[in-house]
């Protein structure tokens, strides 16, 4: 009496079970990619340490102190008594017009296998301030303002990036001495300011010109505040990414760099040029990790990111998500050789082939960190195709069948690279591939006795 082997249906179920078990190492590879990406961010932050973090600039704004009466209710002898006292408050004026020009000079710095994009910025500009004619609407008179105690404030998110020549601020032709701190709320109060006598603003607008250089990494943002803000940015970096609630008008990007111009009005900001409130203490507000370049751009800021053209971790991460596609197509090929070609394939052999397919993504990640994604893809794919082709020839007892597996894997790796390059069409291409695979399996197994019932009835 001959012993019958597993039915085709049982072999199919075993192949599915092994494919499901391989989800565990695939998920481990996904976690490995995430861990290496976080390690890369930490390394880039250490490269940028002492240089300057992502930068946001804001201002200038003119702050005019004034005294106002404040009432408070106190308890004296069991009775509520209302007292009146004089307190200092601040009238903050945004410029009517602000014209800012920034030149970014990028620089790549490496440590081991990690690289960070740093930059030096040269910012210069002009601003014009005028005293509102309707101050009475704010409950303030022009005579109540302490012009001799005025301050002109500039915001810079990471003031430790101020290097090189000292910033210069000129008001009505006079250069003023600068002090640290008292920046803008948009920069966590970080920045610098200057004291000035703004009495001349009662007769004519104040003309302000400024220039300062600073360092940063990752991105540069502007928090506009003027009635009419114009910001010009030029750089030799060929891969900018424009973020935030305001995008530049007709930016020019080429292999030699980019140039972009923003034009933003206070009506778009939903903000008045005049604001009054209590005196703001000169204290830094925590803005989080000053080297974290992954912070999302704000809705009321314009921002340009100096991005790397290829983010290898995101590409490896996307390729891992297609891991089941590789396992499924390869297992289907082995199953067809098993149930149609009559070549017995054991569960352990399915498992070893699946392990090789998962190993491809580990090799891809390891090589990509050293030689780049494209070269790493070729090396990893060639290694796995050679390994599995040789093993398949032994398992399927034919070099010709091993060549079929090698051709299948070559096609799969080629299609995957196309999917990674054409992100917009990846779903369509993947769906068509699955449809073609399902149609092929249906055709090849249309006469297959999955349950083995036909052979039993024949006996």
């Amino acid at each position: 009496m001959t012993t019958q082997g597993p039915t085709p249906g049982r072999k199919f179920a075993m192949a599915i079970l092994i494919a499901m078990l391989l989800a565990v190492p695939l998920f481990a590879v996904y976690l490995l990619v995430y861990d290496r990406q976080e390690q890369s961010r930490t390394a880039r932050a250490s490269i940028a340490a002492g240089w300057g973090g992502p930068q946001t600039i804001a201002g200038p704004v003119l702050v005019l102190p004034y005294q106002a009466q404040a009432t408070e209710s106190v308890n004296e002898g069991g009775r509520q008594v209302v007292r009146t006292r004089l307190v200092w408050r601040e009238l903050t004026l945004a410029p009517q017009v602000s014209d800012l020009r920034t030149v970014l000079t990028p620089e790549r710095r490496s440590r081991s296998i990690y690289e960070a994009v740093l930059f030096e910025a040269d910012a210069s500009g002009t601003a014009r301030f005028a005293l509102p004619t309707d101050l009475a609407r704010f409950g303030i008179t022009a005579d109540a303002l302490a012009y001799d105690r005025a301050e002109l404030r500039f915001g810079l998110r990471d003031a430790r990036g101020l290097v090189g020549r000292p910033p210069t601020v000129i008001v009505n032709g006079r250069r003023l001495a600068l002090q640290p701190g008292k920046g803008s709320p948009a920069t966590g109060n970080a920045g610098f300011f200057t004291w000035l006598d703004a009495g001349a603003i009662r007769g004519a607008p104040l003309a302000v010109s400024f220039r300062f250089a600073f360092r940063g990494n990752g991105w540069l943002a502007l928090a506009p505040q003027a009635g009419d803000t114009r910001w010009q940015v030029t750089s030799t970096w060929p891969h900018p990414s424009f973020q935030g609630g305001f995008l530049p008008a007709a930016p020019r990007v080429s292999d030699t760099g980019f140039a972009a111009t923003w034009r933003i009005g206070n009506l778009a900001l939903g903000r008045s040029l005049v604001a009054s409130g209590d005196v703001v203490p000169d204290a830094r507000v925590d803005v989080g990790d000053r080297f974290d370049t992954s912070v999302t751009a704000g809705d009321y800021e314009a921002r340009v990111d100096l991005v790397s053209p290829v983010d290898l971790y995101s590409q490896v991460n996307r390729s891992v998500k297609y891991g089941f596609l590789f396992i499924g197509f390869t297992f289907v090929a082995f199953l067809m050789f098993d149930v149609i070609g009559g070549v017995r394939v054991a569960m352990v052999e399915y498992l070893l082939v699946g392990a090789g397919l998962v190993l491809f993504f580990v090799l891809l990640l390891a090589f990509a960190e050293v030689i780049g994604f494209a070269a790493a893809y070729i090396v990893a794919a060639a290694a796995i195709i050679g390994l599995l082709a040789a093993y398949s020839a032994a398992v399927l007892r034919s070099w010709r069948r091993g060549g079929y597996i090698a051709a299948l894997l070559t096609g799969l790796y080629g299609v995957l690279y196309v999917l990674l390059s054409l992100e917009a069409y990846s779903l369509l291409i993947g769906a068509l591939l699955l449809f073609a695979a399902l149609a092929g399996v249906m055709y090849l197994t249309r006469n297959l006795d999955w349950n083995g019932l036909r052979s039993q009835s024949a006996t």
Side-chain angles (χ1 to χ4, degrees), residues 160-245:
R160 285 171 286 192
L162 288 169
V163 293
R165 64 178 182 275
T168 58
V169 175
I170 299 174
V171 178
N172 286 350
R174 180 186 174 192
R175 182 169 176 172
L176 302 177
L178 302 179
Q179 306 295 329
K182 288 190 177 182
S184 168
T187 60
N189 291 340
F192 55 92
F193 75 102
T194 180
W195 291 299
L196 74 155
D197 187 344
I201 198 174
R202 301 190 66 176
L206 283 182
V208 178
S209 62
F210 53 90
R211 185 170 187 175
F212 57 97
F214 57 92
R215 291 173 174 174
N217 85 91
W219 49 261
L220 173 65
L222 171 70
Q225 296 170 308
D228 183 9
T229 300
R230 190 169 183 264
W231 186 34
Q232 294 178 316
V233 181
T234 58
S235 176
T236 57
W237 186 255
H239 307 291
S241 176
F242 303 110
Q243 306 288 333

Side-chain angles (χ1 to χ4, degrees), residues 107-130:
E107 180 179 343
R108 295 177 183 265
R109 289 205 174 184
S110 301
R111 178 176 298 171
S112 183
I113 62 174
Y114 303 106
E115 182 181 79
V117 180
L118 312 177
F119 64 82
E120 290 188 4
D122 184 5
S124 61
T126 59
R128 187 178 73 240
F129 293 89

